[in-house]
Amino acid sequence: MRVILFLCSWTLLLLCNAFTQEGKSERVAKETFIDRLDTAIVFQESIAISPDCKKISYVARGENRQYVVLQGEKQKAYDGIGTSGIIFSPDSKRNAYMAKEGDKFFVVVDGMEQNKYEGIGSDPAFSPNSKRVAYVVRDGDNQLVVLDGHALKRYQGIGIGGPVFSSNSKRMAYIGKVGVKFLVVVDEKEGKLYDRIAVSSFAFSPNGLRTAYMAQNGVELFCIVDGEELKQFPVTRESVPIFSPNSKRYTYVATSSNKDFVVLDGKADKPYDMIAEKSIKFSPDSKRIAYVARDSSKWCVVVDGKKGKLYENIGINTFVFSPNSKRIAYVAMKGSERFIVVDGIEGKKHDAIPEGNPIFSQDSKRLAYIAQSKGKWRVVVDRIDQKPYEYIGSGTLSFSPDGKYVVYVGGDGAKRVVVVNGKEGNQYDVILTHRGGKILFDSPATFHYLASKGNEIYLVEEQIR
């Protein structure tokens, strides 16, 4: 069997009725054929969706060779392709993947083969602006970072995860090993040597000007912010430093006398029995900070240093500020019951609420989340239950930019539909989104996604009229 390639595409115009909160409206869906997958030769784990959710790629096999297929077009065949398949750039216009020919390994960027090495140590990483790409390679007994095709200095090892770009794409950093010591390399400039550096702890500030990470000498573990060792606050576990959106503030978790406390802008906050490190968040305007803490046997949300109501548990990855920084919502638990707390007010009880919920509309006026009750899943919008389904894609829930429409993927049995303000669109076997994420809006009344009918893949573009 083989992948059947189509040199042309066709479109089908399908009409379906929907109702918006403002009354009756019509959804117009245009389907554009992309590709037909031959499951006998496709590596399922290699299927990748671009960030703009308009392109699909995968790795296929044929005649003892492997090749990438991008938007239905077969690329050059090699002895092997990296299991990750294609890595798309953030703007979806570029791509890169690892390949093997004979005993040599190399990265293919935008269809162009780069230099060959004895091994590739990390997936290619694009900068946020999509203009730069970096990855780790093995050359003899050494490892080095390749940036935009140029080999940088060799080290005995490069930290797991490879290079990290700043959010403005102007800077790049990674961890290098020198003998038995480690250092951080920022813009090819080496920092101080330490016994150990926590790989996952390195962070650039949003403006790219500041850096922070955790390092260790002997048994002493401490945070380093802008090159300054903050040893006045003892750390007993690896903590990931967090910068505020405006880059002016920073925070991390420290420990003293078996108590956790947040270090905020170099000052210690109130101690608690435990602080859920991954829960720490700055508000969008950088003026507020909140986190989940354990006090005795119960948990609470601490906002601006003030302890909230105690609960049996709080969803660490559910806490969220509204876009205007004025509202707060999270999932709390009592026994087997789960419920949303919004602005301190408890909502309806449910059996389960997945991580990534709730979400606010961009104007901060509306709130929605996914919940399970009595074996069925449903979306709750402004405290009103939507239709129950056997399945709802937990990461697919989103508001339109103007907040008028609530969109998500739901379904019963084997079929999936995109639901807009409670009304269903056309049925598909699978709705495909980038990394299982949200349905993407192109304007307040238009959105798109990829979907499959059997082994046929379509780009579906919808307009609400």
Side-chain angles (χ1 to χ4, degrees), residues 174-193:
Y174 56 93
I175 296 172
K177 183 180 181 182
V178 180
V180 296
K181 299 279 188 175
F182 298 87
L183 50 76
V184 170
V185 182
V186 182
D187 302 330
E188 300 185 53
K189 295 180 180 179
E190 297 178 339
K192 184 178 177 180
L193 287 166

Side-chain angles (χ1 to χ4, degrees), residues 62-112:
E63 299 179 356
N64 297 319
R65 304 276 276 175
Q66 296 178 8
Y67 53 90
V68 165
V69 178
L70 175 62
Q71 289 297 86
E73 295 185 5
K74 180 180 176 180
Q75 311 297 302
K76 183 178 178 178
Y78 296 102
D79 289 341
I81 302 290
T83 55
S84 300
I86 270 190
I87 306 296
F88 285 102
S89 61
D91 66 4
S92 302
K93 295 179 180 180
R94 306 183 66 192
N95 64 79
Y97 59 91
M98 295 180 285
K100 178 188 178 186
E101 197 71 4
D103 61 352
K104 294 296 184 180
F105 298 81
F106 50 95
V107 171
V108 181
V109 181
D110 301 327
M112 302 294 292

